[in-house]
Amino acid sequence: MADMPGTRPQLGVWKFASCDGCQLTLLDCEDELLGIADKVEISYFLEASSAPGHGPYDLSLVEGSVTTAQDAERIQQIRSASRRLVTIGACATAGGVQALRNYADVAEFRATVYARPDYIDTLATSTPISAHVPVDFELRGCPIDRGQLIEVITAYLAGRTPDVPAHSVCFECKRRGITCVTVAHGTPCLGPITHAGCGALCPAYNRGCYGCFGPSNSINFPSFIPLLRRDGMDTLDVVRVLRTFNTASEEFDAASRKELSG
């Protein structure tokens, strides 16, 4: 981005199917956001301003999953107008909670929820942005971590690769001196297979990790699932804990389907 003398890099922030939580994380950066605003031109960010930008964009942050045909078309347009595209949050990186539709009959959902289901135009699946366009970086979490978001933005402003840890939540527990809830209490915990970024929030309160940040870069499900069973989970419990925020991630999806198939 440094090869554009005389102009500030253009930043676009986009929403697809999501709760807006990851965009709010950016707004919650407060002092850091003021510093970023001096370095970039936030030319499209409807959560913060109604003034639409027109691109092209040096960096686009995309929240949310693709759930409609219009979404699928719009992400293609955003990708073509963006020099770098970063997906933020579980919806954008793994389909989000709404990807639970992938395992059911969407027509039945529509008929049950809406008085006039014929007005609802939606796809049968909720898919991550990477299923439709090339993505330069995925920032995981539900919601994302503020510090990691600032790192991603500043890294691309500086022309380097973001320095975001790829290890598991267990490393964060060790660094904070948190007693392992599984070892100490026999509490089922997804920490060993979950991407770091939350600061081991749940284990800090003696609760097992729920996998908000999605699969870590190194997972051994054949060894891990028996540990969940040892700590009291049956097949349905295992499937439920894998089918939450990141259910459509390749690793969690494959593991839950394998559990159900026996």
Side-chain angles (χ1 to χ4, degrees):
M1 295 182 183
D3 59 357
M4 299 180 65
T7 61
R8 286 190 295 170
Q10 302 292 299
L11 174 67
V13 184
W14 312 86
K15 171 184 166 57
F16 286 75
S18 64
C19 71
D20 285 27
C22 293
Q23 293 182 81
L24 290 175
T25 298
L26 177 56
L27 293 177
D28 286 342
C29 288
E30 299 177 345
D31 292 343
E32 297 94 334
L33 184 59
L34 293 176
I36 291 173
D38 288 337
K39 303 297 182 182
V40 301
E41 180 74 28
I42 303 177
S43 57
Y44 188 93
F45 188 7
L46 295 185
E47 187 79 15
S49 171
S50 59
H54 302 288
Y57 305 95
D58 295 283
L59 176 63
S60 279
L61 304 177
V62 180
E63 177 194 70
S65 64
V66 173
T67 59
T68 68
Q70 292 78 11
D71 285 346
E73 294 177 3
R74 187 161 63 98
I75 192 57
Q76 296 288 343
Q77 297 167 357
I78 294 171
R79 175 70 267 190
S80 65
S82 305
R83 183 176 178 185
R84 294 284 187 271
L85 189 148
V86 174
T87 51
I88 57 173
C91 295
T93 61
V97 173
Q98 57 269 29
L100 288 170
R101 71 166 69 183
N102 300 2
Y103 306 105
D105 184 350
V106 173
E108 182 179 353
F109 280 158
R110 286 201 303 263
T112 301
V113 174
Y114 298 99
R116 290 297 305 271
D118 49 308
Y119 286 174
I120 306 301
D121 183 16
T122 188
L123 298 174
T125 59
S126 172
T127 48
I129 300 300
S130 61
H132 302 268
V133 296
V135 170
D136 294 290
F137 192 83
E138 292 184 325
L139 188 61
R140 302 182 185 182
C142 186
I144 53 176
D145 175 72
R146 183 171 70 177
Q148 289 188 350
L149 176 61
I150 295 299
E151 163 60 19
V152 168
I153 295 174
T154 54
Y156 280 116
L157 288 175
R160 61 176 174 83
T161 301
D163 182 16
V164 175
H167 52 245
S168 72
V169 171
C170 290
F171 280 77
E172 296 187 320
C173 280
K174 292 292 186 182
R175 287 173 175 172
R176 292 188 58 185
I178 298 171
T179 300
C180 177
V181 297
T182 298
V183 173
H185 312 298
T187 302
C189 179
L190 295 188
I193 64 169
T194 299
H195 200 284
C198 66
L201 180 62
C202 290
Y205 289 91
N206 290 317
R207 301 175 66 181
C209 169
Y210 289 93
C212 304
F213 274 66
S216 66
N217 288 12
S218 178
I219 296 178
N220 184 352
F221 273 117
S223 296
F224 180 69
I225 298 298
L227 297 180
L228 295 180
R229 296 190 183 282
R230 179 202 64 187
D231 294 329
M233 284 190 166
D234 59 22
T235 296
L236 187 57
D237 291 330
V238 173
V239 171
R240 283 174 172 169
V241 80
L242 292 175
R243 289 186 175 180
T244 55
F245 313 97
N246 293 273
T247 182
S249 66
E250 182 178 348
E251 297 88 346
F252 284 10
D253 176 57
S256 66
R257 289 182 187 275
K258 184 175 181 179
E259 283 298 296
L260 287 176
S261 67

